Amino acid sequence: MRSNAIKQGPARAAARAMLRATGLDDAAIAKPLVGVVHTWTNVSPCNLTLRELAGHVQTGVHASGGTAVEFNTIAVTDGIAMGSDGMRASLPSRETIADSIELAVSGHCLDAMVLLVGCDKTLPAAAMAAARLDIPTVVLYGGTIMPGQCPRAGGGDAAITVQEVFEAVGAHSAGRIDDAQLHRVESHSCPGAGACGGQFTANTMAMVLGFLGLSPLQLNDIPAIHPDKPAAAHACGELVMQRLRDGGPLPRELLGIDALRNAARAVSATAGSTNAVLHLLAIAHEAGVAFGLEEFEIAAAATPVIADLKPGGRYTAAELFVAGGTALVARELRTAGLLQDTPTVTGRSLFQMLDALPAAGPQDVVRAIADPIKPRGGYSILYGDVAPDGCIVKLAGHGRDHFEGPARVFDSEEAAFAAVQACHVRAGDVVVIRFEGPAGGPGMREMLAVTAALVGQGLGNDVALITDGRFSGATHGFMVGHVAPEAARGGPIAKLRDGDRVRIDVATRRIDVDADLSVRNPASLAPRVATGALARYALVVGSASHGAVTTPGPLDVAVAEQTLAGAA
């Protein structure tokens, strides 16, 4: 056992004394020590149930012969931070969460771990930490929130999520709804615990964890307040002990190229959050797998949208669960030959897991591959004058694949949001928001406040937006994000000016401008943050086209070793 390093032999008497002070006896100390790590906080509904679920995981660990060691790490909730300076902390929190799990688990030489996660960055962070540590690991998502029920003007209720609140803000600024209606939407959208309810980033990444094999298939689908969730947590505690006893499969065995490609296709088939691109690149980096940006174009081109999920569709994640869950998507992809059989943390392969599940009844949340909602996936990777290192265009929720118009250039999200709220953005404009990339933001904020306000004003299909920042999973409309290189690193987006004619063409996979950027100097801004964690992050973070990571991965280490060997 790894934990023997801190508890076995006369030299470790002091460590045993401290463990004994926490209530452990000799028998408990002698057992495997299993980390039960969660991101509980009561600042948002996304993580609200995780401390309770941790108790159920611990009973599973104890019942299976282990000793549970509980600790928590941070969470930054995008839905609260969105549109504020606080949003700069969101993406950097992914690295901090992964770092803290790695440091606490390795620092105490724990033998295995169960990771309980809730809001957006906590899920990829768990996978990144699992890849780094490569010890027996199970990840469980706390679950989706239930849809809110908002009274309709003509009677009855409409199912809504926090997406409708952000869009109501734009409708309110345009005078399309009054204060009372805004308050009604706000008051009814989030009825209790759980992460945001559409196929936004949290639910997209929860599905991804199932396809990667780090989470048992279907357990992440169970909503946060569902009575089956505690039993799922208990089962994860038992499962991690089983993996510890039989020696595998370990996270890096699960995170192979086929699993990553399966996950990319699942994101495409569900028109999931474009943040999944950023996160899967980062997970692959930590696992030492060569998995680049172009993989997502291949996945999207081959995989139609078959799930009718918000933000572009009709249904929430809770309704997908009732219909049959992730297995509905997996079975369709398998039937079409778009899914590879891969190992999972359960010890059974992905196809074995699917075969063991009961057939679903009639439903219309997930369509057959032969009858898709859209013929290709919900995003595309573009290159061109504006983004020589790549960017991602979100295709869900609109039918356009070409947009051309004059640039309206803003050097911050706040400036763009103020212009939208003042109704200064017109149909046909290409809104450019720059200096919001990983380094320039710093933190690569999501532009949901701007995009939702445009939708709320009825401009969602009539305005394009490009940014070196990110989009929320709740964003829909003609949106291009992750532009690389970013403005703060001298990328061409820093050379755009008001009135430049920008062309976005999905068919040719180009994003270009009718201007000679070679004769222009890039605009520049002083660093927005000069001290602390965000300043350090801005100095070390890599390009969005490589996952915006801050650490060397196994492939980087291998290359460095080869270079040193060659020099010697």
Coordinates of all heavy atoms in Angstrom, one line a residue, residues 497-554:
R497 N -9.8 46.3 -36.2 CA -10.3 47.7 -35.9 C -11.8 47.7 -36.3 O -12.3 46.9 -37.1 CB -9.6 48.7 -36.7 CG -8.1 48.8 -36.4 CD -7.4 49.8 -37.3 NE -6.0 49.9 -37.0 CZ -5.1 50.5 -37.8 NH1 -5.5 51.1 -38.9 NH2 -3.8 50.5 -37.5
D498 N -12.5 48.7 -35.6 CA -13.9 48.9 -36.0 C -14.1 49.1 -37.5 O -13.3 49.8 -38.1 CB -14.4 50.1 -35.3 CG -14.8 49.9 -33.8 OD1 -14.9 48.7 -33.4 OD2 -14.9 50.9 -33.1
G499 N -15.1 48.4 -38.0 CA -15.4 48.5 -39.4 C -14.7 47.5 -40.3 O -15.1 47.3 -41.5
D500 N -13.6 46.8 -39.8 CA -13.0 45.7 -40.6 C -14.1 44.7 -41.0 O -14.9 44.3 -40.2 CB -11.9 45.0 -39.8 CG -10.7 45.9 -39.7 OD1 -10.5 46.8 -40.5 OD2 -9.8 45.5 -38.9
R501 N -14.1 44.3 -42.3 CA -15.1 43.3 -42.7 C -14.6 41.9 -42.4 O -13.6 41.4 -42.9 CB -15.2 43.4 -44.2 CG -16.5 42.7 -44.8 CD -17.6 43.7 -44.7 NE -18.9 43.0 -45.1 CZ -20.1 43.5 -44.9 NH1 -20.2 44.6 -44.2 NH2 -21.1 42.9 -45.3
V502 N -15.3 41.2 -41.4 CA -14.9 39.9 -41.0 C -15.8 38.9 -41.6 O -17.0 39.0 -41.7 CB -15.0 39.8 -39.4 CG1 -14.7 38.4 -39.0 CG2 -14.1 40.8 -38.8
R503 N -15.2 37.8 -42.1 CA -16.0 36.7 -42.7 C -15.7 35.4 -41.9 O -14.6 35.0 -41.7 CB -15.5 36.4 -44.2 CG -15.8 37.5 -45.1 CD -15.5 37.1 -46.6 NE -14.1 36.6 -46.7 CZ -13.0 37.4 -46.7 NH1 -13.2 38.8 -46.7 NH2 -11.8 36.9 -46.8
I504 N -16.8 34.8 -41.6 CA -16.8 33.5 -40.9 C -17.5 32.5 -41.8 O -18.7 32.6 -42.1 CB -17.5 33.6 -39.5 CG1 -17.0 34.7 -38.6 CG2 -17.4 32.2 -38.7 CD1 -17.8 35.1 -37.5
D505 N -16.8 31.5 -42.2 CA -17.3 30.5 -43.1 C -17.1 29.1 -42.6 O -15.9 28.6 -42.6 CB -16.7 30.7 -44.5 CG -17.5 29.9 -45.6 OD1 -17.9 28.8 -45.3 OD2 -17.7 30.5 -46.7
V506 N -18.1 28.4 -42.1 CA -18.0 27.1 -41.5 C -17.6 26.1 -42.6 O -16.9 25.1 -42.4 CB -19.2 26.7 -40.8 CG1 -19.1 25.3 -40.3 CG2 -19.5 27.6 -39.6
A507 N -18.2 26.2 -43.8 CA -18.0 25.3 -44.9 C -16.5 25.2 -45.3 O -16.0 24.1 -45.5 CB -18.8 25.7 -46.1
T508 N -15.8 26.3 -45.3 CA -14.4 26.3 -45.7 C -13.5 26.3 -44.4 O -12.3 26.3 -44.6 CB -14.0 27.6 -46.5 OG1 -14.3 28.8 -45.8 CG2 -14.8 27.6 -47.8
R509 N -14.1 26.4 -43.3 CA -13.4 26.4 -42.0 C -12.5 27.6 -41.9 O -11.3 27.4 -41.4 CB -12.7 25.1 -41.7 CG -13.7 23.9 -41.7 CD -12.9 22.6 -41.5 NE -12.1 22.7 -40.3 CZ -11.0 21.9 -40.1 NH1 -10.6 21.1 -41.0 NH2 -10.4 22.0 -38.9
R510 N -12.9 28.8 -42.3 CA -12.1 29.9 -42.3 C -12.7 31.1 -41.5 O -14.0 31.2 -41.4 CB -11.9 30.4 -43.7 CG -11.2 29.5 -44.7 CD -9.7 29.4 -44.4 NE -9.0 30.7 -44.4 CZ -7.7 30.9 -44.2 NH1 -7.0 29.8 -43.9 NH2 -7.2 32.1 -44.3
I511 N -11.9 31.9 -40.9 CA -12.3 33.1 -40.2 C -11.3 34.2 -40.7 O -10.1 34.1 -40.2 CB -12.5 33.0 -38.7 CG1 -12.8 34.4 -38.1 CG2 -11.2 32.4 -38.0 CD1 -13.3 34.3 -36.7
D512 N -11.7 35.1 -41.6 CA -10.8 36.0 -42.2 C -11.3 37.4 -42.1 O -12.4 37.7 -41.7 CB -10.6 35.6 -43.7 CG -9.9 34.3 -43.8 OD1 -8.8 34.1 -43.2 OD2 -10.4 33.4 -44.5
V513 N -10.4 38.4 -42.5 CA -10.8 39.8 -42.4 C -10.2 40.5 -43.7 O -9.2 40.1 -44.2 CB -10.2 40.4 -41.2 CG1 -8.7 40.3 -41.1 CG2 -10.6 41.9 -41.0
D514 N -11.1 41.4 -44.2 CA -10.6 42.2 -45.4 C -9.8 43.4 -44.9 O -10.2 44.5 -45.0 CB -11.9 42.7 -46.1 CG -12.5 41.6 -47.0 OD1 -11.9 40.5 -47.2 OD2 -13.7 41.8 -47.4
A515 N -8.6 43.0 -44.5 CA -7.7 44.1 -44.0 C -6.3 43.5 -44.0 O -6.1 42.3 -43.8 CB -8.0 44.6 -42.7
D516 N -5.3 44.3 -44.3 CA -3.9 43.8 -44.3 C -3.4 43.9 -42.9 O -2.8 45.0 -42.5 CB -3.1 44.6 -45.3 CG -1.6 44.0 -45.4 OD1 -1.3 43.0 -44.7 OD2 -0.9 44.5 -46.2
L517 N -3.5 42.8 -42.1 CA -3.1 42.9 -40.7 C -1.5 43.0 -40.6 O -1.0 43.4 -39.5 CB -3.6 41.7 -40.0 CG -5.1 41.5 -39.9 CD1 -5.5 40.3 -39.1 CD2 -5.8 42.8 -39.4
S518 N -0.8 42.6 -41.6 CA 0.7 42.6 -41.6 C 1.2 44.0 -41.4 O 2.4 44.1 -40.9 CB 1.3 41.9 -42.8 OG 1.0 42.7 -44.0
V519 N 0.5 45.0 -41.8 CA 1.0 46.4 -41.7 C 0.6 47.1 -40.4 O 0.9 48.2 -40.2 CB 0.6 47.2 -42.9 CG1 1.1 46.6 -44.2 CG2 -0.9 47.4 -43.0
R520 N -0.2 46.4 -39.6 CA -0.7 47.0 -38.4 C 0.1 46.5 -37.1 O 0.5 45.3 -37.1 CB -2.2 46.7 -38.2 CG -3.1 47.3 -39.2 CD -4.5 46.9 -38.8 NE -5.5 47.4 -39.8 CZ -6.8 47.2 -39.8 NH1 -7.3 46.4 -38.9 NH2 -7.6 47.7 -40.8
N521 N 0.2 47.3 -36.1 CA 0.7 46.9 -34.9 C -0.4 46.4 -34.0 O -1.5 47.0 -34.1 CB 1.4 48.1 -34.1 CG 2.7 48.5 -34.8 OD1 3.5 47.6 -35.3 ND2 3.0 49.8 -34.9
P522 N -0.2 45.4 -33.2 CA -1.3 44.9 -32.4 C -1.6 45.9 -31.2 O -0.7 46.6 -30.7 CB -0.8 43.6 -31.8 CG 0.7 43.7 -31.8 CD 1.0 44.6 -33.1
A523 N -2.9 46.1 -30.9 CA -3.2 46.8 -29.7 C -2.7 46.1 -28.5 O -2.4 44.9 -28.5 CB -4.8 46.9 -29.6
S524 N -2.5 46.9 -27.4 CA -1.9 46.3 -26.2 C -2.6 46.9 -25.0 O -3.1 48.1 -25.1 CB -0.4 46.5 -26.1 OG -0.1 47.9 -26.1
L525 N -2.7 46.2 -23.9 CA -3.2 46.6 -22.7 C -2.3 46.3 -21.6 O -1.6 45.3 -21.6 CB -4.6 46.0 -22.4 CG -5.8 46.3 -23.2 CD1 -7.0 45.5 -22.7 CD2 -6.1 47.8 -23.2
A526 N -2.2 47.2 -20.5 CA -1.5 46.8 -19.4 C -2.1 45.6 -18.7 O -3.3 45.4 -18.8 CB -1.4 48.0 -18.4
P527 N -1.3 44.8 -18.0 CA -1.9 43.6 -17.3 C -3.0 44.1 -16.3 O -2.8 45.1 -15.6 CB -0.7 43.0 -16.6 CG 0.5 43.4 -17.4 CD 0.1 44.8 -17.9
R528 N -4.1 43.4 -16.4 CA -5.3 43.8 -15.5 C -5.0 43.4 -14.1 O -5.6 44.0 -13.2 CB -6.5 43.1 -16.0 CG -7.1 43.6 -17.3 CD -8.4 43.1 -17.6 NE -9.0 43.7 -18.7 CZ -9.2 43.2 -20.0 NH1 -8.7 42.0 -20.2 NH2 -9.7 43.9 -20.9
V529 N -4.2 42.4 -13.8 CA -3.9 41.9 -12.5 C -2.4 41.8 -12.3 O -1.7 41.2 -13.2 CB -4.6 40.5 -12.2 CG1 -4.3 40.1 -10.8 CG2 -6.1 40.6 -12.5
A530 N -1.9 42.5 -11.3 CA -0.4 42.5 -11.2 C 0.1 41.7 -10.1 O 1.3 41.4 -10.0 CB 0.0 44.0 -10.9
T531 N -0.7 41.2 -9.2 CA -0.2 40.4 -8.1 C -1.2 39.2 -7.8 O -2.3 39.1 -8.4 CB -0.2 41.2 -6.8 OG1 -1.5 41.7 -6.5 CG2 0.7 42.4 -6.9
G532 N -0.7 38.3 -7.0 CA -1.5 37.1 -6.6 C -1.6 36.0 -7.6 O -0.9 35.9 -8.6
A533 N -2.6 35.1 -7.4 CA -2.7 33.9 -8.1 C -3.0 34.2 -9.6 O -2.5 33.5 -10.5 CB -3.9 33.1 -7.5
L534 N -3.9 35.2 -9.9 CA -4.2 35.4 -11.3 C -3.0 36.0 -12.1 O -2.8 35.7 -13.3 CB -5.4 36.4 -11.4 CG -6.7 35.8 -11.0 CD1 -7.8 36.9 -11.1 CD2 -7.1 34.6 -11.8
A535 N -2.2 36.8 -11.4 CA -1.0 37.3 -12.1 C 0.0 36.1 -12.4 O 0.6 36.1 -13.5 CB -0.3 38.3 -11.2
R536 N 0.1 35.2 -11.5 CA 1.0 34.1 -11.7 C 0.4 33.2 -12.8 O 1.2 32.8 -13.7 CB 1.1 33.2 -10.4 CG 2.0 32.0 -10.6 CD 2.2 31.2 -9.3 NE 0.9 30.6 -8.9 CZ 0.3 30.9 -7.7 NH1 0.9 31.7 -6.9 NH2 -0.8 30.3 -7.4
Y537 N -0.9 33.0 -12.8 CA -1.6 32.2 -13.9 C -1.3 32.9 -15.3 O -1.0 32.2 -16.2 CB -3.0 32.2 -13.6 CG -3.9 31.4 -14.6 CD1 -4.0 30.1 -14.5 CD2 -4.6 32.1 -15.6 CE1 -4.8 29.4 -15.5 CE2 -5.3 31.4 -16.5 CZ -5.5 30.1 -16.5 OH -6.2 29.4 -17.4
A538 N -1.4 34.2 -15.3 CA -1.2 34.9 -16.6 C 0.2 34.7 -17.2 O 0.4 34.6 -18.4 CB -1.5 36.4 -16.5
L539 N 1.1 34.5 -16.3 CA 2.5 34.3 -16.7 C 2.8 33.0 -17.3 O 3.6 32.8 -18.2 CB 3.5 34.6 -15.6 CG 3.6 36.1 -15.1 CD1 4.5 36.1 -13.9 CD2 4.2 36.9 -16.2
V540 N 2.1 31.9 -16.7 CA 2.5 30.6 -17.1 C 1.5 29.8 -17.9 O 1.8 28.8 -18.5 CB 2.7 29.7 -15.8 CG1 3.8 30.4 -15.0 CG2 1.5 29.6 -15.0
V541 N 0.2 30.3 -18.1 CA -0.8 29.6 -18.8 C -0.5 29.5 -20.3 O 0.0 30.4 -20.9 CB -2.2 30.2 -18.6 CG1 -2.3 31.6 -19.2 CG2 -3.3 29.3 -19.1
G542 N -0.8 28.3 -20.8 CA -0.6 28.1 -22.3 C -1.8 28.5 -23.1 O -2.8 29.0 -22.6
S543 N -1.7 28.2 -24.4 CA -2.7 28.6 -25.4 C -4.0 27.8 -25.2 O -3.9 26.6 -24.8 CB -2.1 28.4 -26.8 OG -3.2 28.5 -27.7
A544 N -5.1 28.4 -25.5 CA -6.4 27.7 -25.5 C -6.4 26.6 -26.5 O -7.0 25.6 -26.3 CB -7.5 28.7 -25.8
S545 N -5.6 26.7 -27.5 CA -5.5 25.6 -28.5 C -4.9 24.4 -28.0 O -4.9 23.3 -28.7 CB -4.8 26.1 -29.8 OG -3.5 26.5 -29.5
H546 N -4.2 24.5 -26.8 CA -3.6 23.3 -26.2 C -4.2 23.0 -24.8 O -3.6 22.3 -24.0 CB -2.1 23.5 -26.1 CG -1.4 23.6 -27.4 ND1 -0.7 24.8 -27.8 CD2 -1.3 22.8 -28.5 CE1 -0.3 24.6 -29.0 NE2 -0.6 23.4 -29.4
G547 N -5.4 23.6 -24.6 CA -6.1 23.3 -23.3 C -5.9 24.3 -22.2 O -6.4 24.1 -21.1
A548 N -5.1 25.4 -22.4 CA -4.9 26.4 -21.4 C -4.3 25.8 -20.1 O -4.8 26.0 -19.0 CB -6.1 27.2 -21.1
V549 N -3.3 24.9 -20.3 CA -2.8 24.2 -19.1 C -1.6 25.0 -18.5 O -1.0 25.9 -19.2 CB -2.3 22.8 -19.5 CG1 -3.5 22.0 -19.8 CG2 -1.3 22.8 -20.6
T550 N -1.2 24.7 -17.3 CA -0.2 25.4 -16.6 C 1.0 24.5 -16.1 O 1.9 25.0 -15.5 CB -0.7 26.2 -15.4 OG1 -1.3 25.2 -14.5 CG2 -1.8 27.2 -15.8
T551 N 0.9 23.2 -16.5 CA 1.9 22.3 -16.0 C 2.4 21.5 -17.2 O 1.8 21.3 -18.2 CB 1.2 21.2 -15.0 OG1 0.2 20.5 -15.7 CG2 0.6 21.9 -13.8
P552 N 3.7 21.0 -17.0 CA 4.2 20.1 -18.0 C 3.5 18.8 -17.9 O 3.2 18.3 -16.8 CB 5.7 20.0 -17.7 CG 5.8 20.3 -16.2 CD 4.7 21.3 -16.0
G553 N 3.2 18.1 -19.0 CA 2.6 16.8 -19.0 C 3.6 15.7 -19.3 O 4.8 16.0 -19.6
P554 N 3.2 14.5 -19.2 CA 4.1 13.4 -19.5 C 4.8 13.5 -20.9 O 6.0 13.1 -21.1 CB 3.2 12.1 -19.5 CG 2.1 12.5 -18.5 CD 1.9 14.0 -18.8

